[in-house]
């Protein structure tokens, strides 16, 4: 991990865009996302690329086809058939 960041890939985007000082402001903070359906899952996808220390996901719904269709990526059919909680699914993925 570069600079203590939990990112899988080296963050070359922040420096290229000149956002290093701005992104440093996220360090040490926790962000909560309430609802990780269509919109919330895309918010998660973007927030996960910042330098925020922790992301809390809150959603009591089951991860089903209509949510998977609207979410980034492509969940396997087996994942949907398991009828897992959305927040738990996305926490594992991210």
């Amino acid at each position: 991990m570069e600079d203590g960041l939990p990112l899988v890939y080296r963050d070359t985007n922040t420096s290229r865009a000149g956002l290093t000082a701005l992104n440093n402001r996220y360090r040490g903070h926790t962000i909560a996302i309430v609802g990780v359906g269509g919109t919330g899952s895309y918010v998660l996808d973007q927030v996960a690329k910042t330098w925020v220390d922790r992301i809390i996901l809150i959603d009591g719904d089951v991860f089903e086809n209509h949510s998977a269709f609207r979410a980034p990526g492509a969940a396997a059919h087996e994942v949907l058939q398991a009828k897992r909680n959305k927040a738990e699914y996305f926490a594992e993925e991210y």
Side-chain angles (χ1 to χ4, degrees), residues 19 32-33 40 76 80 89:
L19 299 173
I33 300 173
L80 299 177
Y89 166 76

Side-chain angles (χ1 to χ4, degrees):
M1 287 185 271
E2 181 181 350
D3 296 325
L5 299 174
L7 306 173
V8 174
Y9 302 106
R10 184 173 174 212
D11 179 6
T12 56
N13 188 54
T14 298
S15 60
R16 288 180 70 164
L19 299 173
T20 303
L22 177 63
N23 219 352
N24 269 321
R25 291 183 182 182
Y26 293 113
R27 285 191 174 190
H29 291 279
T30 297
I31 293 176
I33 300 173
V34 180
V36 284
T39 302
S41 61
Y42 276 93
V43 170
L44 169 62
D45 194 55
Q46 293 301 307
V47 169
K49 295 173 179 116
T50 69
W51 298 354
V52 66
D53 282 13
R54 185 171 156 212
I55 303 170
I56 299 171
L57 304 177
I58 302 167
D59 195 315
D61 292 340
V62 172
F63 189 50
E64 296 180 302
N65 188 81
H66 67 277
S67 295
F69 183 80
R70 299 177 298 148
H77 287 285
E78 295 79 24
V79 171
L80 299 177
Q81 291 170 345
K83 301 226 181 261
R84 299 187 51 215
N85 173 274
K86 278 193 273 187
E88 291 172 359
Y89 166 76
F90 282 112
E92 274 185 22
E93 290 296 307
Y94 284 82

